[in-house]
Amino acid sequence: MDRYERILTLHRLLKSAHYPVPLPKLMDELECSRATLYRDVAFLRDALGAPIESAGGEHAAFRYELSEGERFELPGLWLTSDELAALLALNELIGRSGPGVLAGALAPFKSRIEHLLSDRGSGKALPVERIRVIPWGARKLDQQAFRIVAGAVLERKQLRFRYRARTTGADSRRTVSPQRLTHYRDNWYLDVWDHDREALRSFAVDRIAEAQALDTPARDVPDAELDQALASSYGIFAGQPKAWATIRFSSHAARWVADEHWHSQQKGEWLGDGRYELQLPYSNSKELLMDVLKYGPDAEVIAPLPLREEMKILLQLAQGAYQVPPR
């Protein structure tokens, strides 16, 4: 442990202690000698102004003066090497999961962390290339539109944009009060109050064009109302739940599904024969059925009956495509 981390650890120990901390305990926690500990205590008290109280003699112990200790903090940003490394790894994850979107803004942050780690460690660069992020289904994103949208969300300003619906191909212009920006399955979505429709809506950010932040303050919708309208059912374009789906998975698939998070209100139950039964609310069945289909014969929709029939039709159509040779 280098001096920087010893000072930080010493501060945290004294800050959290309700009683004087004995000298042997501090030496053990800081992995240092008695002389080194006394030098660190002197530096923390004299150079950084820490309100340290000490009891000398055979039973030496240290603590922060009670009233002053609650208010005292180390100047600047103090992080351990592990914490800095974790931040650098997080930065790498962000850069690789959304190339270009935040890379420019975070470049100085990354450079500073690398410099701090190099100064305090062996000088070797961290092998961040050993952290892999493999995007799946990520769509091309207009970086300028993303920055305008994100800025409007944080600055609480209304937003005007042109939207090209992927399902219908329809082109429309919207004036909205942005509520939340959501990263879901490697893509970004914007939850808004749509002033033209007078309702809550979600938009895929990659379909937004000609985004313009307005000077008009955004209308704030309470979190509870947002969750009720947009997060109470399965999938990104949720809506109010229409029914609860019951899906039964084979004992083979159950090993994975039992540990997966499908929805905040999901209910799971192990069956006597090793199968796993999952229940969750849904509004639009399309996304739910697509996710169940990936399990093939290891998943069966049990209820409700309309959802089971819809799955049956999808499977029949899929089978029909293989009845004739490809053209």
Side-chain angles (χ1 to χ4, degrees):
M1 188 181 297
D2 62 22
R3 190 185 190 194
Y4 181 101
E5 294 200 38
R6 289 202 312 273
I7 294 297
L8 176 57
T9 303
L10 178 59
H11 166 69
R12 290 179 174 175
L13 287 170
L14 299 181
K15 183 82 172 177
S16 60
H18 297 291
Y19 301 97
V21 185
L23 179 66
K25 178 175 176 59
L26 290 176
M27 292 168 56
D28 183 60
E29 291 285 349
L30 273 60
E31 302 173 356
C32 67
S33 66
R34 182 188 186 98
T36 297
L37 176 60
Y38 273 107
R39 284 195 297 269
D40 289 343
V41 168
F43 177 80
L44 185 59
R45 180 187 60 234
D46 301 333
L48 300 180
I52 296 178
E53 292 182 336
S54 61
E58 183 180 351
H59 303 290
F62 301 88
R63 73 171 182 181
Y64 279 166
E65 195 276 326
L66 295 180
S67 59
E68 291 294 325
E70 292 181 0
R71 295 192 293 268
F72 175 74
E73 292 293 347
L74 293 178
L77 178 63
W78 289 67
L79 298 170
T80 66
S81 294
D82 288 344
E83 290 167 339
L84 284 170
L87 284 175
L88 186 58
L90 176 61
N91 181 74
E92 190 72 12
L93 287 171
I94 293 172
R96 296 189 182 195
S97 62
V101 175
L102 298 175
L106 294 178
F109 176 70
K110 178 180 178 181
S111 176
R112 178 59 178 156
I113 292 177
E114 290 175 341
H115 177 70
L116 286 171
L117 286 169
S118 177
D119 281 351
R120 291 165 45 198
S122 63
K124 297 179 181 179
L126 290 177
V128 293
E129 69 279 358
R130 294 185 178 275
I131 300 173
R132 298 184 67 205
V133 178
I134 304 176
W136 185 88
R139 299 187 288 265
K140 186 177 180 180
L141 188 64
D142 185 320
Q143 297 179 29
Q144 178 65 14
F146 177 85
R147 285 193 288 267
I148 294 173
V149 167
V153 171
L154 297 176
E155 294 173 7
R156 311 306 306 127
K157 299 292 185 182
Q158 289 189 22
L159 190 65
R160 183 178 294 137
F161 55 80
R162 182 166 63 90
Y163 191 73
R164 298 158 292 166
R166 180 172 279 106
T167 53
T168 63
D171 199 310
S172 62
R173 295 194 176 270
R174 305 296 183 98
T175 301
V176 305
S177 284
Q179 303 298 317
R180 297 187 296 205
L181 194 58
T182 302
H183 191 253
Y184 177 74
R185 299 193 180 192
D186 281 328
N187 291 288
W188 290 95
Y189 296 87
L190 179 66
D191 296 335
V192 308
W193 175 263
D194 190 325
H195 292 282
D196 301 314
R197 274 66 174 178
E198 287 294 312
L200 290 169
R201 293 287 188 270
S202 288
F203 295 96
V205 177
D206 61 284
R207 304 297 289 180
I208 290 177
E210 301 174 17
Q212 178 187 1
L214 308 178
D215 291 332
T216 310
R219 168 179 173 175
D220 286 328
V221 178
D223 287 342
E225 187 176 341
L226 288 173
D227 291 338
Q228 180 65 26
L230 301 173
S232 56
S233 294
Y234 186 81
I236 187 64
F237 299 108
Q240 293 288 345
K242 295 178 180 177
W244 277 72
T246 301
I247 305 128
R248 195 168 291 162
F249 295 89
S250 70
S251 57
H252 173 73
R255 302 169 197 167
W256 284 267
V257 177
D259 293 330
E260 292 177 351
H261 175 82
W262 288 53
H263 189 271
S264 60
Q265 299 177 36
Q266 69 185 46
K267 302 174 183 177
E269 178 185 6
W270 286 95
L271 304 181
D273 57 3
R275 291 181 297 169
Y276 188 78
E277 193 168 275
L278 179 68
Q279 295 181 321
L280 46 85
Y282 73 96
S283 174
N284 188 320
S285 62
K286 184 176 181 179
E287 186 177 356
L288 174 59
L289 292 178
M290 288 174 62
D291 287 341
V292 175
L293 277 170
K294 72 181 182 182
Y295 285 94
D298 287 313
E300 178 186 2
V301 175
I302 303 299
L305 183 59
L307 187 67
R308 182 179 174 88
E309 292 298 317
E310 191 176 349
M311 176 61 89
K312 187 187 299 184
I313 293 171
L314 286 176
L315 291 171
Q316 290 171 345
L317 290 173
Q319 185 180 24
Y322 290 89
Q323 299 302 312
V324 296
R327 291 178 291 181

